[in-house]
Amino acid sequence: MALLETRGLTAFYGDFQALFGVDLTLAEGETVAVIGANGAGKTTLMRSIAGVIRQALGMVRFDGREIGAMAPDEIMALGIAMVPEGRKLFPSLSVEENLLMGAHRRKVAGPWRLETVYDLFPILKERRGQPGTALSGGQQQMVSIGRALMSNPRVLLCDEISLGLAPVVIRDIYAAFPRIRETGASIVVVEQDIGQALKVADRVHCMMEGRVTLSGRPEELSREAIHDAYFGAAA
């Protein structure tokens, strides 16, 4: 049984339909990448799973339980944490206070606490007293990831974590993924960087215009197939 599953997932912003029947599964300990251009529906998919966009019963299941109609804080308490696009740090709080916010709804003990987050991202310990938004973009992203980990999630949703960052910073952030997976967490990562997604994922889904246009394991997908699924096949 899948740990996380969407079935025929649809989503709307008012009268505008953003997702059309999206099916996705995530197994225990697996990393699934969702790739696609701007406007493909990737962030809407993540927001739907996290409860930011409410869904009808039957469209989102976690550990065998219907969660589509639940509130975001209830979903987080079950074990799904999101690293949002744009990081969304609290500007009035220090690095350490931002991290501690992630533990606010923690229900069970687990491997992630301040010490282990600081071990994962040592620069954050050095700057723990500084305002979170005073850090560089890459360091802010580390705070956002650490904040999500502080809830000791079973599923970590990472939305566009490399957006706007330098390649060397992206490399350092993705170097943390094996450590995160070692704790038993499963990961869904949304990426525009196809090469990066293929490196970290067990399976890849490509989206275009709110639909999944290609799915498979990275080694099974040709560059041509990915290009066509990402941009649309040439006429």
Side-chain angles (χ1 to χ4, degrees):
M1 182 179 67
L3 176 62
L4 176 68
E5 182 177 16
T6 69
R7 300 177 178 176
L9 181 63
T10 60
F12 292 82
Y13 294 103
D15 293 332
F16 174 75
Q17 186 167 357
L19 295 180
F20 298 81
V22 173
D23 294 332
L24 178 147
T25 60
L26 177 73
E28 289 270 11
E30 185 179 36
T31 297
V32 169
V34 181
I35 62 175
N38 282 334
K42 308 184 301 299
T43 292
T44 301
L45 171 62
M46 301 289 265
R47 289 165 61 88
S48 296
I49 293 171
V52 179
I53 299 174
R54 298 289 183 93
Q55 296 297 333
L57 290 177
M59 288 190 177
V60 186
R61 297 179 65 88
F62 174 63
D63 201 19
R65 179 176 180 174
E66 302 274 2
I67 66 169
M70 295 176 69
D73 61 332
E74 295 174 315
I75 291 174
M76 183 178 181
L78 289 178
I80 299 177
M82 185 170 176
V83 182
E85 180 182 358
R87 300 179 281 274
K88 305 292 193 297
L89 302 186
F90 297 99
S92 63
L93 301 183
S94 68
V95 166
E96 189 158 296
E97 289 167 338
N98 268 282
L99 292 173
L100 289 171
M101 288 296 294
H104 178 64
R105 288 300 303 266
R106 181 163 56 193
K107 295 294 186 182
V108 296
W112 295 107
R113 54 193 186 280
L114 281 175
E115 292 79 7
T116 47
V117 170
Y118 287 149
D119 185 52
L120 185 67
F121 299 123
I123 189 64
L124 299 187
K125 186 173 185 179
E126 296 178 24
R127 306 199 172 179
R128 58 188 173 186
Q130 296 183 17
T133 51
L135 274 57
S136 69
Q139 291 163 1
Q140 288 186 42
Q141 192 62 274
M142 293 174 187
V143 177
S144 186
I145 294 170
R147 180 179 60 189
L149 291 174
M150 286 287 288
S151 69
N152 283 296
R154 295 178 67 189
V155 173
L156 184 67
L157 306 176
C158 298
D159 190 9
E160 300 281 17
I161 58 174
S162 69
L163 192 64
L165 302 181
V168 65
V169 178
I170 296 169
R171 182 196 64 198
D172 290 345
I173 288 174
Y174 271 98
F177 272 44
R179 295 266 309 273
I180 295 170
R181 290 184 59 166
E182 285 171 6
T183 66
S186 304
I187 302 171
V188 181
V189 56
V190 159
E191 262 295 350
Q192 290 188 51
D193 185 330
I194 297 173
Q196 187 62 66
L198 296 178
K199 287 178 185 177
V200 301
D202 298 302
R203 290 185 297 116
V204 178
H205 299 285
C206 186
M207 293 185 67
M208 184 172 64
E209 297 180 351
R211 296 176 171 84
V212 174
T213 52
L214 182 71
S215 299
R217 297 190 175 277
E219 64 271 18
E220 300 170 344
L221 305 177
S222 69
R223 288 181 177 274
E224 292 77 15
I226 293 173
H227 181 277
D228 289 348
Y230 197 102
F231 297 107

